[in-house]
Amino acid sequence: MNKKHGPQPPVPFPSRDAILEFIRESPGRVGKREIARAFDLRGDQRQELKRLLRELEGEGQVDKGRGRRFAQPGTLPEVTLVIVSGIDVDGEVLARPQNWNEEDGPPPTIYMAPQRHGEQALGVGDRVLARLSRLSDRNYEGKTIRRIAAAPPRVLGIFHARPEGGGRVHPSDKRHRTDLMVAKGDEGGAREGDLVRAEILPAKRLGLRWGKVTECLHGPAAARTASLIALYDHDIPSVFSDEALREAEAMGPATLGEREDLRGLALVTIDGEDARDFDDAVFAEPDPDQDKNPGGWHLVVAIADVAWYVRPGMALDEDAYRRGNSVYFPDRCVPMLPEALSNGWCSLKPDEDRPVLAAHLWIDKVGNLLRHRFLRGLMRSVARLTYAQVQTAVEGGVDELTGPLLEPVVKPLYGAYAALAEARLDRGVLELDVPERQVILDDEGNVARIVTRARYDSHKLIEEFMILANVAAAQALEAHRQPCMYRIHDVPALDKLESLREFLETLGIKFPKGQSVQPATFNRILKKVEGTPYAHQVNEVVLRSQAQAEYAPGNIGHFGLALQRYCHFTSPIRRYPDLLVHRALIAGLGLGEGGLPRHSADFAEAGQHLSGTERRAAAAERDAVARYVAAYLSGRIGATFGGRISGVTRFGLFVTLDEIGGDGLIPIQTLPGNDYWVHDEVRHLLTGRASGIEYRLGDSLQVVLEQADPITGGMILAVAGGDSHAPRKRWGATPSRPQPRRRSR
């Protein structure tokens, strides 16, 4: 007869990493009971588990959803609203979460299960309440619970007419992979080449999509199409109200009155050759009181006094707030203010009196801000200079304008900049190497060339002067207990740091877990890889790990600039947050009319709106440039280019072309070797299962241009044959992660 065993001793309590791995590898959210059962936890161990889960949630390592069920951060809810976004090359229906925040990067991919027998097939634009099960970190399977009725989806695109009537709409959005057919009678008055909006009609059978034109937005625009599409696609206001235009036209010069007279000060503007408005002027001299501040400097930053012209409650103010900021395209500017102000009374043109809000700033010899004083003044710019012109002058190549200004104006500016640069270095500002592309147009509005925008010390000089003035403005508002629209930049999220750490480990670079990060932490990593084949790759991944800067009335500091307080003060012509800061300074310092009203608008709501308009403008500018690049390259189909892998996904590689800077996709099914490609999300890597060939983020390779669509901005590339810069081949390699499971059909 067997003896009964007594109570078994409890198993050892699992490590944090073991519990995190269990949560991350689970196909859905899991509760405390399931975790306890998996690790055979009992008694007091369950209380310890509860405490640990609370701790992990507080650190951002896990996310607690409905019913106290846990998952890794960013995991979608088990039941959520999705929008059908397309059909992949295998014929599977793809969807994306309806409320996905684009700041968090591309949305996860959702593969929708086939509809039950007798149900209508899902189509692009359908809104569906779906039950999700996770296949991998970025992939889900979705099963339809029910369709959600919605207004008919619409597309923006170019209309192409047929001689017999009707035609088709070529969509401007890359997610719409096929044209929309338009029957005779549904053209809505559209003619060949018109930019239109069309409504997608309900699908009656499989095959081509049909629609009808509901709005003609613009006639044939040729070279202007890229920016026009971006304007309409992102709903950017481009027409001022009649009342706002009347108010702007009625404006005139400001008089000296009670303003301080700055017209005897040698203030200059320094901007790019293509600048359309001049809202900041600078001056520097050695601090006159060298006994108290040896080696120190006195700076003046004078900013256009937009608040004098644009008052709360005016139609001008309402239009400016709605726009939030100016938007800049290669062929045009969509200004925040009408041209009568942005290029007129608020533009600091040389030899013309202009009202300003100015900051006197005193720094020591190593660039520390000692004190400041804000005032309302009247200035007269002595010169409109360009970055290249100033840089050439300081290097010995003066011209008629810069020659007389070199010693009294330009060299003191560089002297003060040297001190500010030392302070920047001491703070440990995040220094990412991200080149900016510039599209140069000819007289017809077509792309003449695409270049990397030059980056001089003169650019950095103006940046450091503006940063100093912005810091002083935030300090002044706090000292006078005024509301401030801070420019905040949070520390990177824990989950993004963990992804960065895992990636760096694959390159043999240590990034200790749980380390308190500073900008200098990232700078050390960037310095370590400088000059190596991985430099571009690491810069990309570090950039993606950063939070996005935004506007808010609550101060959390600016991580990237390593500053405790920071706001935007220096560009009120083109940024509405700066106008709010000006009004708050005027009210707090008692500087006259146009200050912030006592019962001002909700700054929290305004911060969200203005952060949104800034993101909207950036997306529109980026999309327009992509279309210009595609138009520029559309005549070079079949040409070979050098490029660098800028994105690795389960459906292919994104490659940024060298010099030109356009981005194109190499679809995964076109990669050489007819191989099965395994996507390693952590290492940003595609590996051929049979060949062992690797394609990694940052790798250089030669590519052939297969397609370039000026309407969508999309480009399709292929790996060039006989590539001397072939991807690495790792024989017998075993992928570190399995390919996400694909459901059987």
PDB file of all heavy atoms in Angstrom, residues 2 7 10-11 162 181 319 391 395 421 467 522 570 623 642:
ATOM      1  N   ASN A   2       0.620   2.134  -0.918  1.00  0.00           N
ATOM      2  CA  ASN A   2       1.438   3.343  -1.012  1.00  0.00           C
ATOM      3  C   ASN A   2       1.075   4.326   0.074  1.00  0.00           C
ATOM      4  O   ASN A   2      -0.088   4.527   0.391  1.00  0.00           O
ATOM      5  CB  ASN A   2       1.232   4.017  -2.371  1.00  0.00           C
ATOM      6  CG  ASN A   2       1.766   3.149  -3.505  1.00  0.00           C
ATOM      7  OD1 ASN A   2       2.695   2.384  -3.305  1.00  0.00           O
ATOM      8  ND2 ASN A   2       1.141   3.255  -4.665  1.00  0.00           N
ATOM      9  N   PRO A   7       2.226  17.559   2.330  1.00  0.00           N
ATOM     10  CA  PRO A   7       2.163  18.781   1.520  1.00  0.00           C
ATOM     11  C   PRO A   7       3.488  19.031   0.804  1.00  0.00           C
ATOM     12  O   PRO A   7       4.556  18.919   1.414  1.00  0.00           O
ATOM     13  CB  PRO A   7       1.859  19.878   2.542  1.00  0.00           C
ATOM     14  CG  PRO A   7       1.267  19.160   3.703  1.00  0.00           C
ATOM     15  CD  PRO A   7       1.917  17.807   3.743  1.00  0.00           C
ATOM     16  N   PRO A  10       6.465  24.660  -1.746  1.00  0.00           N
ATOM     17  CA  PRO A  10       6.163  25.531  -2.888  1.00  0.00           C
ATOM     18  C   PRO A  10       7.347  25.593  -3.852  1.00  0.00           C
ATOM     19  O   PRO A  10       8.507  25.517  -3.446  1.00  0.00           O
ATOM     20  CB  PRO A  10       5.899  26.891  -2.238  1.00  0.00           C
ATOM     21  CG  PRO A  10       6.595  26.835  -0.920  1.00  0.00           C
ATOM     22  CD  PRO A  10       6.534  25.401  -0.479  1.00  0.00           C
ATOM     23  N   VAL A  11       7.034  25.725  -5.132  1.00  0.00           N
ATOM     24  CA  VAL A  11       8.096  25.885  -6.128  1.00  0.00           C
ATOM     25  C   VAL A  11       8.722  27.260  -5.951  1.00  0.00           C
ATOM     26  O   VAL A  11       8.084  28.180  -5.420  1.00  0.00           O
ATOM     27  CB  VAL A  11       7.529  25.733  -7.554  1.00  0.00           C
ATOM     28  CG1 VAL A  11       6.955  24.349  -7.762  1.00  0.00           C
ATOM     29  CG2 VAL A  11       6.479  26.795  -7.829  1.00  0.00           C
ATOM     30  N   ARG A 162     -12.460  58.679 -69.926  1.00  0.00           N
ATOM     31  CA  ARG A 162     -12.552  57.830 -71.110  1.00  0.00           C
ATOM     32  C   ARG A 162     -13.307  58.593 -72.198  1.00  0.00           C
ATOM     33  O   ARG A 162     -14.259  59.326 -71.902  1.00  0.00           O
ATOM     34  CB  ARG A 162     -13.290  56.522 -70.797  1.00  0.00           C
ATOM     35  CG  ARG A 162     -12.502  55.557 -69.933  1.00  0.00           C
ATOM     36  CD  ARG A 162     -13.098  54.144 -70.038  1.00  0.00           C
ATOM     37  NE  ARG A 162     -14.521  54.144 -69.692  1.00  0.00           N
ATOM     38  CZ  ARG A 162     -15.005  53.789 -68.506  1.00  0.00           C
ATOM     39  NH1 ARG A 162     -14.174  53.407 -67.546  1.00  0.00           N
ATOM     40  NH2 ARG A 162     -16.305  53.802 -68.277  1.00  0.00           N
ATOM     41  N   MET A 181     -13.014  52.709 -60.540  1.00  0.00           N
ATOM     42  CA  MET A 181     -13.692  52.894 -61.817  1.00  0.00           C
ATOM     43  C   MET A 181     -14.909  53.801 -61.646  1.00  0.00           C
ATOM     44  O   MET A 181     -15.623  53.720 -60.642  1.00  0.00           O
ATOM     45  CB  MET A 181     -14.131  51.545 -62.391  1.00  0.00           C
ATOM     46  CG  MET A 181     -12.987  50.542 -62.538  1.00  0.00           C
ATOM     47  SD  MET A 181     -11.582  51.176 -63.503  1.00  0.00           S
ATOM     48  CE  MET A 181     -12.362  51.405 -65.110  1.00  0.00           C
ATOM     49  N   ASP A 319      -8.416  82.174 -37.383  1.00  0.00           N
ATOM     50  CA  ASP A 319      -7.811  81.465 -38.513  1.00  0.00           C
ATOM     51  C   ASP A 319      -6.423  80.934 -38.158  1.00  0.00           C
ATOM     52  O   ASP A 319      -6.054  79.812 -38.533  1.00  0.00           O
ATOM     53  CB  ASP A 319      -7.709  82.390 -39.726  1.00  0.00           C
ATOM     54  CG  ASP A 319      -8.996  82.423 -40.544  1.00  0.00           C
ATOM     55  OD1 ASP A 319     -10.049  82.071 -39.978  1.00  0.00           O
ATOM     56  OD2 ASP A 319      -8.951  82.803 -41.728  1.00  0.00           O
ATOM     57  N   GLN A 391      28.443  82.189 -43.311  1.00  0.00           N
ATOM     58  CA  GLN A 391      29.502  81.195 -43.141  1.00  0.00           C
ATOM     59  C   GLN A 391      30.689  81.509 -44.053  1.00  0.00           C
ATOM     60  O   GLN A 391      31.842  81.415 -43.639  1.00  0.00           O
ATOM     61  CB  GLN A 391      28.947  79.799 -43.449  1.00  0.00           C
ATOM     62  CG  GLN A 391      29.897  78.670 -43.078  1.00  0.00           C
ATOM     63  CD  GLN A 391      30.103  78.562 -41.581  1.00  0.00           C
ATOM     64  OE1 GLN A 391      29.192  78.829 -40.806  1.00  0.00           O
ATOM     65  NE2 GLN A 391      31.300  78.185 -41.163  1.00  0.00           N
ATOM     66  N   GLU A 395      34.635  82.691 -42.955  1.00  0.00           N
ATOM     67  CA  GLU A 395      35.763  81.882 -43.442  1.00  0.00           C
ATOM     68  C   GLU A 395      36.656  82.675 -44.392  1.00  0.00           C
ATOM     69  O   GLU A 395      37.580  82.120 -44.982  1.00  0.00           O
ATOM     70  CB  GLU A 395      35.230  80.625 -44.141  1.00  0.00           C
ATOM     71  CG  GLU A 395      34.560  79.638 -43.179  1.00  0.00           C
ATOM     72  CD  GLU A 395      33.881  78.477 -43.894  1.00  0.00           C
ATOM     73  OE1 GLU A 395      33.885  78.481 -45.156  1.00  0.00           O
ATOM     74  OE2 GLU A 395      33.356  77.587 -43.215  1.00  0.00           O
ATOM     75  N   ALA A 421      27.876  77.020 -27.514  1.00  0.00           N
ATOM     76  CA  ALA A 421      28.196  75.664 -27.950  1.00  0.00           C
ATOM     77  C   ALA A 421      28.865  74.884 -26.824  1.00  0.00           C
ATOM     78  O   ALA A 421      28.644  73.671 -26.673  1.00  0.00           O
ATOM     79  CB  ALA A 421      29.103  75.710 -29.184  1.00  0.00           C
ATOM     80  N   ILE A 467      17.359  78.937 -28.813  1.00  0.00           N
ATOM     81  CA  ILE A 467      17.157  78.076 -27.640  1.00  0.00           C
ATOM     82  C   ILE A 467      17.337  78.879 -26.358  1.00  0.00           C
ATOM     83  O   ILE A 467      16.552  78.754 -25.408  1.00  0.00           O
ATOM     84  CB  ILE A 467      18.134  76.878 -27.688  1.00  0.00           C
ATOM     85  CG1 ILE A 467      17.724  75.903 -28.801  1.00  0.00           C
ATOM     86  CG2 ILE A 467      18.177  76.154 -26.338  1.00  0.00           C
ATOM     87  CD1 ILE A 467      18.734  74.811 -29.061  1.00  0.00           C
ATOM     88  N   PHE A 522      22.760  58.176 -25.030  1.00  0.00           N
ATOM     89  CA  PHE A 522      22.645  57.867 -26.449  1.00  0.00           C
ATOM     90  C   PHE A 522      23.839  58.415 -27.220  1.00  0.00           C
ATOM     91  O   PHE A 522      24.302  57.789 -28.180  1.00  0.00           O
ATOM     92  CB  PHE A 522      21.344  58.448 -27.005  1.00  0.00           C
ATOM     93  CG  PHE A 522      20.112  57.870 -26.377  1.00  0.00           C
ATOM     94  CD1 PHE A 522      19.368  58.612 -25.470  1.00  0.00           C
ATOM     95  CD2 PHE A 522      19.693  56.587 -26.674  1.00  0.00           C
ATOM     96  CE1 PHE A 522      18.238  58.089 -24.884  1.00  0.00           C
ATOM     97  CE2 PHE A 522      18.552  56.051 -26.096  1.00  0.00           C
ATOM     98  CZ  PHE A 522      17.824  56.804 -25.195  1.00  0.00           C
ATOM     99  N   THR A 570      10.225  82.148 -30.373  1.00  0.00           N
ATOM    100  CA  THR A 570      10.973  82.840 -31.418  1.00  0.00           C
ATOM    101  C   THR A 570      10.347  82.840 -32.812  1.00  0.00           C
ATOM    102  O   THR A 570      10.934  83.413 -33.728  1.00  0.00           O
ATOM    103  CB  THR A 570      12.387  82.222 -31.512  1.00  0.00           C
ATOM    104  OG1 THR A 570      12.260  80.804 -31.693  1.00  0.00           O
ATOM    105  CG2 THR A 570      13.176  82.507 -30.247  1.00  0.00           C
ATOM    106  N   ASP A 623       4.922  63.976 -47.141  1.00  0.00           N
ATOM    107  CA  ASP A 623       4.233  63.335 -48.261  1.00  0.00           C
ATOM    108  C   ASP A 623       4.469  64.091 -49.567  1.00  0.00           C
ATOM    109  O   ASP A 623       4.639  63.483 -50.632  1.00  0.00           O
ATOM    110  CB  ASP A 623       2.730  63.260 -47.981  1.00  0.00           C
ATOM    111  CG  ASP A 623       2.387  62.240 -46.906  1.00  0.00           C
ATOM    112  OD1 ASP A 623       3.298  61.529 -46.461  1.00  0.00           O
ATOM    113  OD2 ASP A 623       1.203  62.170 -46.516  1.00  0.00           O
ATOM    114  N   GLY A 642      22.377  53.470 -55.604  1.00  0.00           N
ATOM    115  CA  GLY A 642      22.835  53.024 -54.298  1.00  0.00           C
ATOM    116  C   GLY A 642      21.799  53.400 -53.256  1.00  0.00           C
ATOM    117  O   GLY A 642      21.134  54.424 -53.366  1.00  0.00           O
TER     118      GLY A 642
END
